[in-house]
Amino acid sequence: MELVKLQLDAPFAVVTIDRPECLNALSSQVYREMIAILRQVEAMDEIRVVILTGAGEKAFAAGADIAQMVGENAIAGRRLSGLCHETADLLENMRQVTIAAVNGYALGGGCELTLACDLRLASENARFALPEVSLGIIPGGGGTQRLARLIGVGRAKEMIFTGDQIDAQEAYRMGLVNHVVPRDQLMSACRALGEKIVSRSGYAVALAKSAVNSSMDIDRRNGAEREKDLLGLAFATRDKQEGMEAFLARRTPQFEDF
Ligand code: CAA
């Protein structure tokens, strides 16, 4: 791949958007490469955590590629939005846990990619915005949907209607990011959090991810039914037996490979 790099270090896969000369702007090619890589990684049994980041010192991704979009018509705009959504949906629903390592600007489509990840860790220099209205367009990678669910409709509307940037500490206060860490500790902090999750039952984490994701799409009553079904499914795993027996015997559980 030319614009997106994959580094495998089981149980981690690090996916890096690699166009630092234009702040990792997200062209159609970037999205296509990311989709291909995420599909490839999803099939890798040995990978449990996917860390998504941007190359260089300044940006995670400064949004969709404006130089590409400027000459495009409505059909191309819709197609681009389709690619943004496909990438975000993959990140949101893949069996692995996804962590955005936000190492600088996460604007427009870049911010939307972080919203689709399960967890977001930001370096102190990270900045978030959905600045599309300044360009005469609207967010097209799920931002109008996921931001409101994460930080509330009122704050999401202010960010989307003004396009204003917020810094990492403000993002933390809003619940937009899980943690803020010094720049040089960003990847190690992502790995430490990933290691902790990997030490838990992989089946249980995947079932929990699926249950929480359901809460975004279905009403509370049906969400509760789904939670009951998934807990029943968890009871059918060897990990449930091992986890509970280990607790009672005061030993560390040995969970199955997931
Ligand atoms: N698309 C294309 N190129 C971009 C870009 C983008 N989104 N963001 C930055 N670049 C390019 C700049 O054109 C510049 O290229 P040159 O060196 O060839 O001139 C290079 O990256 C460095 O950028 P700046 O000189 O602007 O750097 P800066 O430090 O002065 O400013 C910035 C940084 C505040 C992030 C500024 O670059 C910026 O505002 N970028 C655009 C952000 C934006 O509006 N993103 C939303 C895009 S729309 C979208 O994302 C919609 C969607 O999901 C479908």
Side-chain angles (χ1 to χ4, degrees):
M1 297 285 176
E2 262 180 71
L3 304 178
V4 183
K5 299 288 183 281
L6 172 63
Q7 187 201 335
L8 295 172
D9 175 19
F12 295 99
V14 180
V15 178
T16 305
I17 307 162
D18 192 16
R19 294 182 84 193
E21 67 287 357
C22 56
L23 307 186
N24 303 319
L26 301 161
S27 61
S28 309
Q29 187 184 340
V30 172
Y31 282 114
R32 283 200 191 90
E33 290 187 17
M34 227 181 316
I35 289 166
I37 284 175
L38 292 174
R39 288 213 177 107
Q40 190 189 339
V41 169
E42 194 175 22
M44 294 177 179
D45 288 345
E46 69 280 17
I47 299 301
R48 295 271 306 272
V49 176
V50 178
I51 300 174
L52 178 63
T53 195
E57 295 299 309
K58 272 180 81 171
F60 174 84
D65 189 335
I66 300 169
Q68 177 190 322
M69 289 189 295
V70 66
E72 290 186 332
N73 63 16
I75 305 284
R78 186 150 201 319
R79 200 173 294 141
L80 176 68
S81 185
L83 285 173
C84 304
H85 274 271
E86 194 175 339
T87 314
D89 289 350
L90 265 168
L91 285 165
E92 190 168 71
N93 296 312
M94 64 197 299
R95 55 179 276 281
Q96 289 90 354
V97 171
T98 54
I99 304 179
V102 189
N103 56 312
Y105 290 112
L107 309 181
C111 182
E112 290 172 314
L113 288 177
T114 74
L115 297 174
C117 289
D118 296 316
L119 305 163
R120 284 153 292 283
L121 269 62
S123 59
E124 285 162 341
N125 64 320
R127 298 184 73 82
F128 295 81
L130 289 175
E132 285 86 349
V133 292
S134 311
L135 298 168
I137 59 171
I138 69 165
T144 62
Q145 308 300 303
R146 289 191 180 92
L147 187 63
R149 287 176 164 94
L150 198 59
I151 65 172
V153 173
R155 280 188 292 211
K157 281 183 175 167
E158 185 174 341
M159 275 186 75
I160 292 168
F161 295 174
T162 64
D164 282 350
Q165 289 183 14
I166 58 167
D167 64 21
Q169 288 301 340
E170 179 72 3
Y172 178 71
R173 273 193 294 276
M174 284 179 167
L176 181 47
V177 299
N178 296 77
H179 302 282
V180 179
V181 297
R183 172 75 184 90
D184 60 349
Q185 291 167 30
L186 181 60
M187 291 312 276
S188 57
C190 288
R191 281 171 185 267
L193 183 56
E195 294 282 5
K196 185 185 278 191
I197 294 168
V198 167
S199 75
R200 313 306 194 215
S201 160
Y203 289 106
V205 171
L207 292 173
K209 172 169 171 165
S210 174
V212 176
N213 281 354
S214 299
S215 73
M216 304 293 167
D217 296 327
I218 57 181
D219 62 87
R220 223 162 71 87
R221 198 165 49 80
N222 282 307
E225 288 308 310
R226 185 155 164 71
E227 186 183 84
K228 291 176 206 171
D229 290 342
L230 291 172
L231 178 62
L233 198 55
F235 268 61
T237 64
R238 212 194 123 264
D239 278 3
K240 169 258 177 186
Q241 210 55 36
E242 170 63 10
M244 294 191 184
E245 282 176 10
F247 174 82
L248 294 172
R250 297 180 184 276
R251 62 172 173 79
T252 306
Q254 300 296 315
F255 291 121
E256 281 192 300
D257 287 341
F258 170 67

